[in-house]
Amino acid sequence: MNIEMIRAAAARLNGHARMTPLLNSPFLDGLAGRRVWIKPECLQHTGSFKFRGAWSALSALDDATRSAGVIAFSSGNHAQGVALAARMHGVPAVIVMPSDAPSLKIENTRALGAEVVLYERGSGDRDTIGAELAAERGLTLVKPFDEPQVIAGQGTTGLEIAEQAAAVGVVAADVIVCCGGGGFTSGIALALEAEAPGLRVRPAEPEGFDDVSRSLRSGGIERNNAVSGNICDAIITPQPGDLTFPIMHRLCGPGLVVTEDEALYAMAQAFLRLKLVAEPGGAVALAAALCRQDQIEGDDVIVTISGGNVDPDIFQRALDTLA
Amino acid sequence: MNIEMIRAAAARLNGHARMTPLLNSPFLDGLAGRRVWIKPECLQHTGSFKFRGAWSALSALDDATRSAGVIAFSSGNHAQGVALAARMHGVPAVIVMPSDAPSLKIENTRALGAEVVLYERGSGDRDTIGAELAAERGLTLVKPFDEPQVIAGQGTTGLEIAEQAAAVGVVAADVIVCCGGGGFTSGIALALEAEAPGLRVRPAEPEGFDDVSRSLRSGGIERNNAVSGNICDAIITPQPGDLTFPIMHRLCGPGLVVTEDEALYAMAQAFLRLKLVAEPGGAVALAAALCRQDQIEGDDVIVTISGGNVDPDIFQRALDTLA
């Protein structure tokens, strides 16, 4: 992994992924006690940054390999990113999902042109099913985060942050990134190391699922005790990746951890002050900026909103915090 | 009013107003039966396009006049736009509001640095209060729409649409604009006449408050029977402006009219597919694209989302349509 891969990914994404804006609000500045700059990847195609990594991975394949199609395991944002990137490339995508995935997510993935293969969470072996399909049809696996071209694609967000922060005169600040397996976090960290060394990435995670924060403290890969049971499910993975962790360990500042209620509060503020729909996992970085002021230094802070794919009932819970 | 005023306003807004992106979603394309391109002014400063006109008007004043301050009558988006534009210019703003305006709107306007002067809707004469204050302090009135520099500011949205539509290869399409007094609509129409003559503006309005649509049909200024009693209140005015109507009459295609339920439906789709918060009045153009397909021609349609300042309870009504 190096900055040249991120620059090459940016060239491949140009004209296909969106360059999301850098937003701010005087109200958020007041709540956070410093200027807050928002990078809203909820406005990216398919509603999350995952489209960047998916496009990067697909566009890096040679024509013959790509034509045979791709496969991914996901019931969430990665599935939608891969499905749309495959459709835009005109190649088949197979998405393997548990049969108890929300029907809306299955429908959305199908509507984006992918073939959805369901497996039984209890009895079916996801990896075996995937491996068989891949072998049979010559499909290429697109991993969600521990994959160099995926990290490179997510890192293009960091190139944009460097340019946009410079344009508003911000050269030194913490950049808080919503963190699951670390693809988004490590990609942005690599981009900023090269392009804006005064900007330091810090991962944000939900309380109780802070594997990356603990790993950064211990210096080795730590696991979560559970991978479900939190509204921030989109950014919960068992542990940091073998590729992403060394990058984060070398480049990132200490992690920031927020509660579910704080994530809902940040969603409500994004609604009120930015007119953006953030999903709970996508709001943890903003929550950290608003609720962990004493753990952040400087006059400015940059935060990512990593996605906006949230069910209406969860969004209503965020709105209820405003009543 | 002419295109040179809009170009000059764009130069003054550069670096102060946001250039909002042009968004799309394959799901909306499916619902609308054609490609839908979204210009989301809910992402503009203060959550609506009104900031553009306010900045344009303030920046066009000479220094001495501007230093004395500005005054506006509004309880809504225009108030917030003028308040922030004044604060960014470092000059005082007085906003005259009815005493029964929602407390959140009063608080927001004060938080943006404006002095709020309340009057009793029944007994107080708003215009007298405003005229006295203006005379006493030398304040300049910033009218909400029937004012050349305000129209020029709103028209900068049209310059951006022309450029962004060309970038995605759209040279002929209807451009549906959420329409109240006509400042936004006429400004965009003037900009497109000069920069993208294949793009034709069409106003969208709420059912029962379709003064502009009726005026376009009759050829003369028609009034609404009421100016309240609809969730699209942000875009309801008594009648089109004396300056805006002749421009709309010369340049706009037939109006499109949607129901409250259709506006709520469009808000829900903006939530689901664009991750944007639209206010009811800001969603009427998208509602027209989705629900009046037979009144629109061509493979593409461009729609504005004019604002996103919506109370949580109204937003919940939109989300309820998804259940």
Side-chain angles (χ1 to χ4, degrees), chain A residues 18 24 26 275 277 308-309 316, chain B residues 18 24 275 277 308-309 316:
Chain A
R18 289 191 181 123
N24 65 327
K275 314 306 170 189
V277 176
N309 291 312
Q316 300 226 3
Chain B
R18 290 192 181 123
N24 66 327
K275 313 308 170 188
V277 176
N309 292 312
Q316 300 227 5

Side-chain angles (χ1 to χ4, degrees), chain B residues 17 24 30 83 88 107 143 178 222 241 262 268 275 278 299 318 320:
Chain B
N24 66 327
M88 288 166 68
E107 281 167 36
K143 288 192 277 187
C178 308
E222 309 286 340
E262 289 166 341
K275 313 308 170 188
D299 295 336
D320 288 342

Side-chain angles (χ1 to χ4, degrees), chain B residues 123-239:
Chain B
S123 57
D125 179 348
R126 191 186 80 161
D127 293 324
T128 308
I129 294 169
E132 282 174 9
L133 277 168
E136 211 172 277
R137 308 197 200 170
L139 305 171
T140 301
L141 176 65
V142 182
K143 288 192 277 187
F145 54 85
D146 225 25
E147 157 64 44
Q149 292 298 1
V150 169
I151 296 171
Q154 321 307 27
T156 61
T157 317
L159 298 181
E160 294 176 15
I161 289 172
E163 179 184 334
Q164 293 169 321
V168 294
V170 176
V171 295
D174 281 354
V175 179
I176 311 180
V177 179
C178 308
C179 187
F184 196 38
T185 308
S186 63
I188 293 174
L190 282 170
L192 295 180
E193 178 191 28
E195 300 285 342
L199 303 182
R200 176 182 69 156
V201 168
R202 299 183 62 183
E205 294 175 292
E207 189 177 59
F209 302 85
D210 58 343
D211 53 313
V212 172
S213 298
R214 287 186 286 109
S215 300
L216 289 174
R217 276 201 301 275
S218 76
I221 287 181
E222 309 286 340
R223 294 179 61 83
N224 284 321
N225 293 321
V227 290
S228 62
N230 189 287
I231 56 170
C232 300
D233 56 348
I235 60 162
I236 293 172
T237 51
Q239 61 183 56

Side-chain angles (χ1 to χ4, degrees), chain B residues 14 52 70 110 129 160 162-163 177 204 225 288 293 295 310:
Chain B
N14 186 27
R52 294 179 187 258
V70 292
R110 282 190 178 134
I129 294 169
E160 294 176 15
E163 179 184 334
V177 179
N225 293 321
Q293 296 178 32
Q295 296 177 32
V310 54

Side-chain angles (χ1 to χ4, degrees), chain A residues 130-181:
Chain A
E132 281 173 8
L133 277 168
E136 211 171 278
R137 308 198 200 170
L139 305 171
T140 300
L141 176 65
V142 182
K143 288 192 277 186
F145 54 86
D146 226 25
E147 158 64 43
Q149 291 298 2
V150 169
I151 297 172
Q154 321 306 27
T156 61
T157 317
L159 298 181
E160 294 176 15
I161 289 173
E163 180 185 333
Q164 293 169 320
V168 294
V170 176
V171 295
D174 280 355
V175 178
I176 312 180
V177 179
C178 308
C179 186

Side-chain angles (χ1 to χ4, degrees), chain B:
Chain B
M1 280 306 311
N2 58 52
I3 184 67
E4 291 312 324
M5 288 177 66
I6 300 176
R7 291 191 182 122
R12 297 197 305 277
L13 267 67
N14 186 27
H16 304 289
R18 290 192 181 123
M19 176 160 179
T20 52
L22 192 70
L23 304 176
N24 66 327
S25 155
F27 293 98
L28 294 183
D29 296 352
L31 291 175
R34 53 174 57 85
R35 291 196 301 178
V36 183
W37 303 95
I38 310 281
K39 183 68 174 169
E41 282 295 301
C42 49
L43 297 178
Q44 190 51 263
H45 292 298
T46 71
S48 88
F49 72 91
K50 290 286 189 179
F51 177 80
R52 294 179 187 258
W55 184 277
S56 172
L58 266 83
S59 61
L61 298 174
D62 65 73
D63 287 350
T65 306
R66 185 170 54 237
S67 300
V70 292
I71 185 168
F73 303 100
S74 170
S75 58
N77 290 337
H78 180 56
Q80 294 194 48
V82 170
L84 183 62
R87 185 166 85 173
M88 288 166 68
H89 275 95
V91 304
V94 175
I95 308 292
V96 183
M97 285 189 186
S99 55
D100 62 354
S103 59
L104 185 67
K105 292 196 171 168
I106 297 175
E107 281 167 36
N108 282 348
T109 307
R110 282 190 178 134
L112 291 169
E115 177 187 348
V116 174
V117 173
L118 300 174
Y119 71 95
E120 296 295 324
R121 224 189 259 268
S123 57
D125 179 348
R126 191 186 80 161
D127 293 324
T128 308
I129 294 169
E132 282 174 9
L133 277 168
E136 211 172 277
R137 308 197 200 170
L139 305 171
T140 301
L141 176 65
V142 182
K143 288 192 277 187
F145 54 85
D146 225 25
E147 157 64 44
Q149 292 298 1
V150 169
I151 296 171
Q154 321 307 27
T156 61
T157 317
L159 298 181
E160 294 176 15
I161 289 172
E163 179 184 334
Q164 293 169 321
V168 294
V170 176
V171 295
D174 281 354
V175 179
I176 311 180
V177 179
C178 308
C179 187
F184 196 38
T185 308
S186 63
I188 293 174
L190 282 170
L192 295 180
E193 178 191 28
E195 300 285 342
L199 303 182
R200 176 182 69 156
V201 168
R202 299 183 62 183
E205 294 175 292
E207 189 177 59
F209 302 85
D210 58 343
D211 53 313
V212 172
S213 298
R214 287 186 286 109
S215 300
L216 289 174
R217 276 201 301 275
S218 76
I221 287 181
E222 309 286 340
R223 294 179 61 83
N224 284 321
N225 293 321
V227 290
S228 62
N230 189 287
I231 56 170
C232 300
D233 56 348
I235 60 162
I236 293 172
T237 51
Q239 61 183 56
D242 293 331
L243 291 178
T244 60
F245 177 66
I247 300 167
M248 293 192 284
H249 190 231
R250 182 166 70 81
L251 295 174
C252 293
L256 294 157
V257 177
V258 302
T259 67
E260 286 185 299
D261 282 349
E262 289 166 341
L264 289 169
Y265 166 72
M267 289 168 66
Q269 293 303 323
F271 163 85
L272 268 187
R273 303 309 181 187
L274 300 166
K275 313 308 170 188
L276 291 176
V277 176
E279 61 191 46
V284 296
L286 178 57
L290 299 179
C291 305
R292 295 290 175 277
Q293 296 178 32
D294 55 330
Q295 296 177 32
I296 302 168
E297 283 180 18
D299 295 336
D300 293 275
V301 64
I302 299 170
V303 308
T304 60
I305 293 181
S306 57
N309 292 312
V310 54
D311 290 335
D313 59 327
I314 301 281
F315 200 76
Q316 300 227 5
R317 282 179 58 189
L319 294 181
D320 288 342
T321 68
L322 297 169

